[in-house]
Amino acid sequence: MPNLYILKSAVDNSYYVGCCEDLHKRFKQHNAGLVRSTKRSVPWQIVYTELHDTMSLARKRETEIKSWKKRKRIESLVGI
């Protein structure tokens, strides 16, 4: 099932929002520095996930979360 996920960097406390079919594989890519947008802030930890029925729905949710302008809104979603 498609996953929406939020990562938090242990280096600079930044967040990354993404979606994928295979969360385990994608998470390994992020922490191996293979993803251009996240390689500067390795290591990452998964702080939030949502399962969706389709990749289209996961991408819509990703777009919604990325549109939030305030960090506090993401932190309230992940429970920080």
Side-chain angles (χ1 to χ4, degrees):
M1 285 188 94
N3 286 276
L4 165 99
Y5 61 92
I6 300 177
L7 305 178
K8 185 175 182 181
S9 170
V11 172
D12 60 10
N13 291 321
S14 62
Y15 289 98
Y16 176 83
V17 181
C19 59
C20 66
E21 290 283 347
D22 185 344
L23 183 58
H24 179 72
K25 178 181 174 183
R26 188 65 172 155
F27 182 62
K28 286 174 74 172
Q29 291 172 339
H30 282 293
N31 276 329
L34 301 175
V35 180
R36 183 173 30 160
S37 59
T38 60
K39 67 182 178 181
R40 290 186 316 261
S41 301
V42 170
W44 293 91
Q45 58 186 181
I46 299 171
V47 293
Y48 184 79
T49 62
E50 289 179 1
L51 289 175
H52 291 271
D53 292 330
T54 65
M55 197 62 178
S56 176
L57 291 172
R59 284 191 185 107
K60 279 185 176 181
R61 180 69 167 147
E62 175 187 6
T63 300
E64 176 188 7
I65 292 171
K66 285 182 174 180
S67 75
W68 297 347
K69 301 300 181 199
K70 298 199 183 255
R71 178 183 176 98
K72 284 187 176 196
R73 191 148 180 209
I74 291 175
E75 289 177 343
S76 69
L77 177 66
V78 300
I80 294 176

